[in-house]
Amino acid sequence: MTAMIQTLLLVVGLAYSAVSFATIDAYPFDDNAKENQFRELINELRCPKCQNQTISDSDAGLAKDLKDKTYEMVQQGATKDQVIDYMVQRYGNFVHYQPPVQQTTWVLWFGPFVFLAVALLAVVLVIRKKQPAKAQPQLSETEQQRLQQLLKKDDSPS
Amino acid sequence: MKKQLFLLLPLLAFLAVGVFFYSALFSDPRELESALVGKPVPEFELPNLLEPNQTVSQQAFGDGPYLLNVWATWCPTCRAEHEYLNTLAAQGVKIIGLNYKDEPAKARMWLAQLGDPYVLNVMDYEGTLAIDLGVYGAPETFIVDSNGMILYRHVGDVNARVWQAKLADIYRQAGGL
C-alpha cells in the first residue's frame, strides 16, 4: 500500500515538474527574482479566451501572446502590479484571478460572511427555543402521590 | 401568523436562488464587457493590408462613427458574418477591418473572392493592436464614435438580428446612417 502511494506521488510529482518546466523553458531568465515573478504572474492571470484556465495552463494562441507580453514586460523590469494593471486595462478585471474589492464585488467578498452570520443566528434562535421544552415538567402534589402509589403497586409481587 | 411567515423563509430563499441560476442558464459567460468602452482607440502604426508598404495609424480611419471589425481567414464565424458586412457596407455603414494574426496573402484572396466591405484594412500580423484593444477572439466588432471613442464592443458574428437589436441604435445615435 505504501509502495503504491509512493509510486503515485512520484508519478504526480514527475508530471507536475514536466508541466512547469515546459512553461518556463520557452522563457529563459538570467534573474531568479524575475523568473519567480513571471511564474507568479502567468499563474494568476486568466486567459480571456478559455475562461477557466490561467495563461500558464492554456494552449490558446491568445494565452501565448499574453505570456509573451508578460515575459517582455518582466524582462524590461516591470513590477507585478504594472503587468496586472496593463492586462486589466485591456481585458478588464476578468483577466486577474484575484478580483479587487469594489462595489460590484461586495457580494463576492462579503456574501459568505453574511451567510455564515445568518446561519449562526438561526442556530442560536433554534437552540434557545428548544431549551424550555427540554426541562422536566414538574409534578403537582397529587400527581406525586399517585406516582408513589403506582411505583409501590409495581413493587408488590403479583 | 408571524411564525408561519418565518416558515416561508426557506421557500423564498430557494425561489431567489432559483431565479438567479435560471437567468444564468441563458447568459453567455464568454461575452465579456470591454474594458475599453469610453476610451479612445489605442495608438498604433501598422501596415495597410492591401498596400503593405504603406503604414497607417488611427488618423487614417478618418471621421467616425465607424465599425472596427476584427477578422481573420482562419475564423469560420468571420466567414459567416462576411456576407452581412457586405450588406451593411452597401447601406453606407463605414467599416474598418483589423486583420488579426492572419496570412496577408490569404486575407487579400478572401477579400477578392468574397467582396470587400472595408474602407481600410489594418494588418495586425503580431496581434499587438488586438492586445491593446483587449481582443480575445475573432470576430469582434467595436463601434467607434466621431471623436475616436469606443462606444461598444460586440463579441461574435454581426448578423441581421444582432444589428437590429443592438448595434444599429448605437451606430445611429453616434451620428451614422
Side-chain angles (χ1 to χ4, degrees), chain A residues 34-155:
Chain A
K34 277 183 181 172
E35 180 163 350
N36 286 338
Q37 193 192 349
F38 176 73
R39 202 190 288 238
E40 261 177 46
L41 276 166
I42 61 171
N43 282 305
E44 229 174 79
L45 290 169
R46 179 182 190 175
C47 171
K49 178 75 192 167
C50 17
Q51 305 279 313
N52 279 325
Q53 279 182 311
T54 61
I55 59 172
S56 150
D57 286 339
S58 173
D59 287 329
L62 179 66
K64 190 184 175 302
D65 287 355
L66 294 184
K67 269 184 284 193
D68 289 348
K69 188 73 206 175
T70 307
Y71 178 70
E72 182 192 322
M73 288 183 78
V74 170
Q75 282 291 40
Q76 282 167 4
T79 64
K80 196 176 162 189
D81 283 346
Q82 278 170 337
V83 178
I84 289 170
D85 281 350
Y86 177 93
M87 296 297 176
V88 169
Q89 269 170 26
R90 284 158 182 77
Y91 291 97
N93 286 324
F94 183 89
V95 81
H96 193 201
Y97 263 119
Q98 291 182 5
V101 183
Q102 59 188 29
Q103 218 163 347
T104 49
T105 58
W106 279 354
V107 175
L108 183 69
W109 280 98
F110 307 120
F113 298 106
V114 172
F115 274 110
L116 189 66
V118 169
L120 282 179
L121 192 74
V123 168
V124 167
L125 285 181
V126 168
I127 288 177
R128 271 206 192 157
K129 237 185 199 171
K130 276 204 171 154
Q131 247 160 6
K134 261 188 188 168
Q136 294 286 324
Q138 297 293 315
L139 296 180
S140 68
E141 194 89 341
T142 44
E143 280 170 335
Q144 276 289 352
Q145 280 169 5
R146 187 160 156 64
L147 177 66
Q148 293 306 324
Q149 273 175 3
L150 283 171
L151 285 171
K152 259 182 214 157
K153 227 192 232 171
D154 233 25
D155 282 343

Side-chain angles (χ1 to χ4, degrees), chain A residues 15-26:
Chain A
Y16 199 76
S17 64
V19 168
S20 47
F21 275 127
T23 26
I24 286 298
D25 264 352

